[in-house]
Amino acid sequence: MVSVNSRAVAPEVDRASVLEAVGLDFDHDIELVLAFLNTCDAEKGTEVLDEHAHWQRWCTERGLVVVPEVEAAREIRDTMRSSVACGTRPTGLANTTWPVQVQLRNGIPSLVGVDALGSVLVAATRLVHTEHWERIKICPAEDCLWAFYDRSRNRSRTWCSMRVCGNREKARSWRERHTPA
């Protein structure tokens, strides 16, 4: 029987230095994906993806290049929000492909978006592959529906803000239970 020392075959790599070498920043990815998911605001009644000019301004504010059609952005955003809100992979939604590039950065392959939507999708893909995606949630308050990142240890956060949405829902629930029928 032959035994192989795996460290001799594949030396241990410092993950932090690899991430740094390719310029990956998960906090930036989280911010970008949340900002994209929150381009519609139920509370304020605003929709960034209703006009190309608003979509272009959103992209420019984030330093994203070439701005694709707003219709494609809206379809991708709505599909991603449905996926996050359902907690499972919804059926019947469009399967969309979008061009991205693979670049070598310091000898390490890395995905890069060709345009603004590609950058958002690359960031979302990194979140999926690093198990950060499951922490993105949609607030269940019907007058909110804000996308947020659950930083709780056991991933149990429900509301975007316990002070606002959670408190409103608890007060509403209490009133319903204590109102005479």
Side-chain angles (χ1 to χ4, degrees), residues 10-80:
E12 206 170 297
V13 177
D14 178 18
R15 184 164 166 75
S17 65
V18 170
L19 295 176
E20 190 177 297
V22 293
L24 294 182
D25 178 2
F26 292 115
D27 287 334
H28 177 267
D29 289 346
I30 291 166
E31 278 182 39
L32 180 60
V33 169
L34 288 177
F36 180 67
L37 293 175
N38 288 326
T39 52
C40 59
D41 188 333
E43 190 173 28
K44 293 179 183 174
T46 59
E47 169 64 84
V48 170
L49 302 180
D50 62 352
E51 292 181 27
H52 187 74
H54 295 147
W55 169 229
Q56 183 152 5
R57 185 174 336 115
W58 184 92
C59 293
T60 304
E61 288 171 355
R62 284 153 187 82
L64 300 173
V65 285
V66 185
V67 181
E69 292 299 317
V70 71
E71 293 80 16
R74 192 178 317 111
E75 179 183 2
I76 289 172
R77 192 256 339 257
D78 292 347
T79 300
M80 289 172 62

Side-chain angles (χ1 to χ4, degrees), residues 11 23 37 58 76 96 108 125 129 162:
L37 293 175
W58 184 92
I76 289 172
T96 305
I108 301 169
T125 300
H129 289 287
M162 197 57 216

Side-chain angles (χ1 to χ4, degrees), residues 1-172:
M1 182 184 314
V2 176
S3 67
V4 176
N5 181 348
S6 63
R7 291 184 190 262
V9 175
E12 206 170 297
V13 177
D14 178 18
R15 184 164 166 75
S17 65
V18 170
L19 295 176
E20 190 177 297
V22 293
L24 294 182
D25 178 2
F26 292 115
D27 287 334
H28 177 267
D29 289 346
I30 291 166
E31 278 182 39
L32 180 60
V33 169
L34 288 177
F36 180 67
L37 293 175
N38 288 326
T39 52
C40 59
D41 188 333
E43 190 173 28
K44 293 179 183 174
T46 59
E47 169 64 84
V48 170
L49 302 180
D50 62 352
E51 292 181 27
H52 187 74
H54 295 147
W55 169 229
Q56 183 152 5
R57 185 174 336 115
W58 184 92
C59 293
T60 304
E61 288 171 355
R62 284 153 187 82
L64 300 173
V65 285
V66 185
V67 181
E69 292 299 317
V70 71
E71 293 80 16
R74 192 178 317 111
E75 179 183 2
I76 289 172
R77 192 256 339 257
D78 292 347
T79 300
M80 289 172 62
R81 282 184 66 88
S82 293
S83 173
V84 169
C86 294
T88 59
R89 303 302 160 240
T91 58
L93 296 173
N95 289 322
T96 305
T97 58
W98 207 260
V100 296
Q101 295 177 344
V102 178
Q103 292 181 349
L104 282 178
R105 294 182 179 171
N106 299 321
I108 301 169
S110 178
L111 291 176
V112 179
V114 175
D115 58 17
L117 270 179
S119 297
V120 169
L121 290 170
V122 165
T125 300
R126 284 194 288 256
L127 296 179
V128 168
H129 289 287
T130 57
E131 298 181 9
H132 287 82
W133 181 259
E134 288 81 26
R135 289 182 174 265
I136 294 178
K137 299 180 178 181
I138 304 290
C139 181
E142 289 183 22
D143 56 346
C144 180
L145 303 174
W146 199 248
F148 65 95
Y149 186 77
D150 181 357
R151 295 187 187 276
S152 67
R153 184 174 292 173
N154 62 358
R155 301 174 184 202
S156 63
R157 188 169 154 197
T158 302
W159 311 101
C160 65
S161 166
M162 197 57 216
R163 288 183 185 155
V164 181
C165 293
N167 190 33
R168 269 192 236 151
E169 184 57 32
K170 285 184 174 191
R172 187 178 300 126

